[in-house]
Amino acid sequence: GQLGQIVEVLLGTSSRIGEALAFRRMDVDVTAATPTMEIAGTIITPRGEPVQRQDHPKTSKSRRIAAVPSFTAEAVRSRLSRIADASPEALLFCSREGTPLSPANVRRQLRQALALSGLAGITPHMFRRTVATAVSEAADVALAAELLGHTDPRVTIQHYIRRNQMVSAETALILERAFEKPE
């Protein structure tokens, strides 16, 4: 049930898997003209302890409020309508008992679902890279870095943005003219 909505939140927020699983009711505003989600925590699994929500994301810059696209807002509205716990601290994505989901288990479920579709090698972190690439291509690297919560755009460029390997089709036209066969 939740996996598709988790993917839509990953794509709409650029969050890491632990950050996506840490969203609470109080972190979302999907009724505003511009829906937003605050990335304010992450899910951790301390050695020998149960999975738990940490009250801050990976870095201080990682704490941010992201405007989200309509498909993400719709996924969140759907989750909110299904959560029995009405408290502001209630997690959007949780077990039947209301406890945090394990990022490792969600990764495993994603692998299994994708395998049924004949797809392999896709991880939750690839959605973050896809978002960075899409934003960078449509706007610029600085905006992609801001969305990902990076203080240095070089990190975004080096680790997240996939370089477009397609050379402009204009080169074929130039070569066509340059080496045109006489008739």
Side-chain angles (χ1 to χ4, degrees):
Q2 301 180 77
L3 190 59
Q5 293 162 335
I6 291 169
V7 169
E8 290 179 290
V9 166
L10 289 169
L11 286 170
T13 62
S14 78
S15 59
R16 297 169 179 92
I17 184 66
E19 293 168 344
L21 299 177
F23 282 119
R24 304 163 295 184
R25 280 185 181 274
M26 64 193 286
D27 299 326
V28 303
D29 182 357
V30 290
T31 60
T34 302
T36 60
M37 296 179 74
E38 182 177 2
I39 298 167
T42 192
I43 299 298
I44 58 171
T45 312
R47 188 172 300 251
E49 295 182 39
V51 175
Q52 54 194 266
R53 185 181 186 282
Q54 176 178 280
D55 216 20
H56 58 85
K58 184 176 178 181
T59 68
S60 60
K61 179 71 174 170
S62 295
R63 185 179 202 104
R64 60 207 184 277
I65 298 173
V68 297
S70 59
F71 66 85
T72 301
E74 183 55 39
V76 171
R77 280 192 286 274
S78 177
R79 286 299 313 144
L80 290 170
S81 71
R82 291 185 170 110
I83 300 171
D85 185 350
S87 72
E89 295 282 332
L91 293 168
L92 289 184
F93 304 108
C94 56
S95 69
R96 288 182 185 93
E97 294 78 36
T99 59
L101 297 176
S102 159
N105 285 343
V106 173
R107 284 186 194 95
R108 181 182 44 75
Q109 290 172 355
L110 180 63
R111 274 193 310 274
Q112 290 172 340
L114 291 170
L116 292 173
S117 302
L119 300 170
I122 298 172
T123 66
H125 208 67
M126 291 175 96
F127 297 124
R128 189 165 156 82
R129 289 186 186 112
T130 300
V131 168
T133 301
V135 171
S136 175
E137 287 178 356
D140 60 31
V141 173
L143 187 58
E146 181 182 335
L147 180 61
L148 269 62
H150 292 158
T151 53
D152 188 346
R154 289 180 295 190
V155 171
T156 311
I157 293 166
Q158 185 176 1
H159 299 288
Y160 289 87
I161 295 175
R162 185 173 305 129
R163 188 173 133 295
N164 184 351
Q165 295 180 339
M166 179 65 183
V167 176
S168 172
E170 185 178 349
T171 58
L173 297 174
I174 293 168
L175 295 172
E176 194 73 44
R177 288 190 300 267
F179 302 111
E180 188 174 358
K181 292 181 183 178
E183 291 183 28

